[in-house]
Amino acid sequence: MLSHLRKVLAASALSLVIAAAAHAADKHKVAFVPQLIGIPYFNAMEAGGNRAAKDLGVDFIYSGPVDTNPVDQLQIVQNLIDQGVEAISVSVLDASSIAPVVESAKAKGIKLFTSDSDAPDSGRAVYVAQATDEGLGTTIIDELVKRVGEDATIGIVSGEATASNLNAWIGFMQKQATAKYPKLKLLAPQFAGGTAERAAHISGDLMAANPDIKAIIAVASSTCPGVAQAIETAGKIGSVIGAGYCSPNTARSYLKSGAFGFTVLWDPEQLGYLTVWAGKQLIDGKSFEAENKIAGLEKPATYDAAKGILLLGPPAVFTKDNVDKFNF
Amino acid sequence: MKTLRNLQGPALTLALLCGLWLIVIVGLLALKPSVFNLGTVTTVLQFSTILALVGLGQGLVILAGGTGIDLSIGGAVSLSAIIAMLALKLGLPPVLLPAVCILAGAALGAMNGWLVNGLALLPFIATLGTFFVYSGVALAVTGGAAQSGVPAWLLLWGRGVVLGIPVPFLTLAIPCFALAGLVLMTTAWGRWIYAMGFNERSAKLVGIPVGRVRFILYVLSGALAGAAGLVSLAWLGSGRPNIGQNLELESLTAAMLGGIVITGGRGGVGGIFAAVLLLVTLKTGLLQLNINTVWQVGIVGALLVFVLLADRLSQRWRS
Amino acid sequence: MLVACLLAIVIFSVASPHYATSGNAVTVLRNSVELLLIGLGMTLLLAMGGIDVSIGIVMGLVAIAVGRIVSADGSPFLAIISGPLVGALLGCVTAAVIVLGRVPAIVGTLGLLGVYRTAIFVLLGGQWLSGLPSSLTDLLSTTVIGIPVAAFAIAIAYLAVWLALRRTPYGLHLLAIGNSEEKARLSGIPVVKIRFATFVISGVLTGIAATFYVATYRNVEMTIGSTLALDAIAAVILGGTSILGGRCSLIGTVFGVLLLRILQNGLLLIGVPSLWQPVVTGVLILGVLGFEAASNRLPLARFRRARA
């Protein structure tokens, strides 16, 4: 038995050598820790990070949890700190629990910063943002009102109830609705966890409970297919439109079938690029300009020194007319 | 004779786990010597603390047999942390926070104990039910929002490190295991637990208060979950409604890997301790080598299957 | 169980004006398809004294295979055949470990759960299968004489299993193993064969569920099926199948699944946030089974059992 296990371990050790060799070079290291691996959105960020690493001559490490579990995420960040990775960026799952690793990074002189999802007041070096939370929340409401009018009922289906960035977006949606569209009826958010199936069930139930519902917002990218599918199977294309923060590849067929009216997203590949670039800046001890022209990006990134936010630019709105121009 | 064999099983597993652990360490040493510093030890122990506590609770419940299992243990971790933080918000003096957290866990455990003993529900069903209830209530009452406001002195304890060892591990995990080991090995209670796990009917016949022992073990498992919740509060600085997510499966893995036999009566707490360290070291090693995290899940699963098969094979050889 | 279902329906109908509509009934039934099929397999496993906590992930693996076929070739018939086949194959893998390796089912499938999850990730390579062609959907969402194909498939599956249980030695053997594996072996029942076959049957049913999943959602993501196993176990034990083995109720499973889905749907309709749904599931398990356990100990029940 023991010898058997030894064989297995030897085999896995061999594969470890190969993997480790790839990082053996003595370059600066920048890491990005997503909220969850294995979803197209973060894969695109990884691709952007790799492109930036090549351009800037740094090593890029991409490692994240398999469940949206903040403790697993912390463990990954802590291990990157122990490895001495000089700049670590995190798409924070839960803003309140990131404090221990921020402390431990500071003690070691490591630049810990957030990207994609922020932990304000945690002492992070900078937040690389795709768009402000406020911008995302208000854009989707404004775009929806353009399509369904002010006098409408709108449902919200989110992913994990504990994801702080998603909750921030929902907060701004609600704020925008009460401030600007008093007649708009925004239903209480429902949480589907990570699976498309649950999202579909909940969307179906929402449509049954509110026959006057005009639109459903899919907040987490993993809920997009479920929401769209529920609208298709209920035969409500045309009377209910879906919308959300999902990548063009995920939403393409739904945009074309009419189940989705539009989706709001930035280019995660560009965000990944900007993240690694910001990490390099931090390692080099350079500060950010109010407007940063970066060779690998389409548009300059703006920096808000007061809030410590490096902004990629306004989010893009994808509809059936422009979706085919994008591939991520 | 019987006791001799009982002790041999866990000792064997312990040796196997230590061997595996050494292999992981040596392998890591060969591949990436820079990993070895005090910081890594601290990291491993830091992430072991919670799992060690719930693994112990899970192990004890299974050890006592009667198809014992505690699927609600992760939910109890989340809910006890949330109850403690909500009590704080309602005006509880902060000094009492640790006590309330552990007591809340014990109460949740007592609920399980009552369902299993009083209502005679199967432990699997009872704790599956409370798993849904505990983890669901923790999320629903908070709406998923983390509860902040942990007093600063508690953070000092939760994040403190002495000689490279995290203080919660030193002051909570190690004493719990030492105590549990002592009780199991030297006291009548320990012998009762093994006896009822080995054969419940004869244990009853010789006058062991099986029901009472079982109830207390579920309370204990809950209290350990409460302690794990407390560690999470003191370490993260906030009460997280899903902190116990997946812990029911992870604790089960640790207990099984540690040589506790699912039908009860065989195994020891030393094995659980070794299994927890092995699991976390393995995870850390893979992370240090920047292996995709998804392999962790598979490797741990495969390890579990292998150890079970090894157990079966060794039994067949012996007989 | 039937009473509980009807009671729930009446209460929700009173509480929400949108509840008792045909559209909503269809929604509930559509949401139950996968769970009905997986629950059927789980019923057999539990009745045998086994369990499979990896079943949801197995459905995910099969869904990847079906999804790949649909997107590559477009022949929906091939996809329909491949679902149960791949499911059977994975059932063989699980059975090999649990039955041939003589590993306790709950721990063994827990280990396999980890392995299968890694397999899903590796197979998907971090991408999702999304926006799959609708060829399979068109085929499986049609109706025959006004009844959806899914309903036919489920009815046939339940009928086949019912016949196997009641009209062939398989049923007797299964329950005998559930009662006591040792005694079953001593009385000459081919224990290994029966147990192996049951895991494979469960795999086939999971494969069919996966086919319907792909047809309905046209999407396979990383986290697919992660909550299904526990839901299935909950539904089956609600339906009166004993987890210790030796007792099983197919119709009970049907009602168990429906009750879960009716409650989830109904609570949302009357405005209870979805975060409370697991709590309701838990209370339901404790309430129904606790009530049953308590009433079994009343003198009257004992009397009745003694006479029966």
Side-chain angles (χ1 to χ4, degrees), chain B residues 301-319:
Chain B
L303 203 63
L304 187 59
V305 172
F306 268 123
V307 168
L308 290 168
L309 287 177
D311 188 58
R312 280 287 150 180
L313 285 180
S314 73
Q315 268 180 16
R316 198 177 287 179
W317 286 334
R318 250 184 281 165
S319 64

Side-chain angles (χ1 to χ4, degrees), chain A residues 79-131:
Chain A
N79 272 294
L80 291 168
I81 293 172
D82 290 347
Q83 279 182 54
V85 174
E86 290 128 301
I88 303 169
S89 52
V90 188
S91 171
V92 181
L93 264 172
D94 175 48
S96 69
S97 62
I98 200 88
V101 290
V102 173
E103 255 176 42
S104 126
K106 273 202 179 138
K108 283 192 129 193
I110 283 165
K111 313 284 179 203
L112 192 112
F113 63 110
T114 55
S115 172
D116 179 62
S117 165
D118 194 18
D121 318 320
S122 64
R124 42 92 175 138
V126 64
Y127 169 41
V128 180
Q130 61 277 46

